[in-house]
Amino acid sequence: MAQLLIVYHSRTGGARQMAEAAAESARAETEVEIVPADQAGPEDVLAADGYIFCAPENLAAISGLMKEFFDRCYYPVLGQIEGRPYAQMICAGSDGENAARQIARIATGWRLKEVLSPLIVCTHAQTPEAILARKTIPEDQLDRCREIGAALGAGLAMGIF
């Protein structure tokens, strides 16, 4: 059975909720591993057939721990994962576009194939208090995350990616 790896980082719970929603629906289609970015390693990446990367946008970039995951795994997986499918989800306070572009550039360097457009969920957190507060992602946005998980899971299960 194909395996989907979901790697996420979350400080305030938003990206974690998004990753869990995607994992929930993907499990109906294929085997799923969901791993925090600080615990995910090259062995997880190599064992998977496809990926969902989920991170918050911090200061117009992906969070540092998510970037560190990509940096740490790059050389050990280089040349071994070309063409594998991926999707991404960003939890942003206002925009999210720069974080999505950053993951897309990294995935290009990893030679992965984007199979779904990036999903950006905006929390509209603009004050220090709102930015640092625990997030609750609305159900309609979690449904969009579930759609990403189901689509990638089904594509892996059917062998179309």
Side-chain angles (χ1 to χ4, degrees):
M1 178 179 264
Q3 181 179 320
L4 173 63
L5 173 64
I6 300 175
V7 178
Y8 74 95
H9 175 247
S10 186
R11 279 195 180 92
T12 61
R16 179 190 47 77
Q17 292 167 57
M18 294 168 63
E20 288 173 351
E24 169 191 322
S25 62
R27 283 191 180 103
E29 306 293 340
T30 193
E31 184 179 328
V32 178
E33 290 293 324
I34 180 170
V35 185
D38 63 342
Q39 297 174 27
E43 63 283 354
D44 299 304
V45 175
L46 292 171
D49 300 292
Y51 315 96
I52 295 175
F53 304 115
C54 183
E57 180 177 59
N58 297 141
L59 302 171
I62 59 175
S63 63
L65 281 177
M66 193 70 178
K67 176 67 166 65
E68 195 274 335
F69 154 76
F70 286 120
D71 291 344
R72 184 170 27 86
C73 294
Y74 179 69
Y75 288 112
V77 305
L78 187 61
Q80 301 177 69
I81 59 171
E82 282 83 1
R84 293 185 190 178
Y86 85 95
Q88 62 168 305
M89 302 184 303
I90 304 295
C91 185
S94 59
D95 183 72
E97 293 292 331
N98 282 334
R101 278 192 291 275
Q102 186 179 15
I103 288 179
R105 284 193 317 268
I106 291 167
T108 297
W110 279 27
R111 293 155 184 86
L112 300 176
K113 181 174 98 176
E114 182 182 66
V115 296
L116 297 164
S117 297
L119 171 61
I120 299 172
V121 172
C122 184
T123 65
H124 304 285
Q126 294 299 301
T127 65
E129 296 79 20
I131 291 167
L132 296 172
R134 300 300 300 164
K135 304 296 183 287
T136 299
I137 303 300
E139 199 61 35
D140 65 320
Q141 298 299 314
L142 292 177
D143 285 342
R144 295 174 66 203
C145 300
R146 289 181 188 102
E147 290 170 6
I148 296 245
L152 198 49
L156 288 172
M158 293 186 297
I160 63 171
F161 297 133

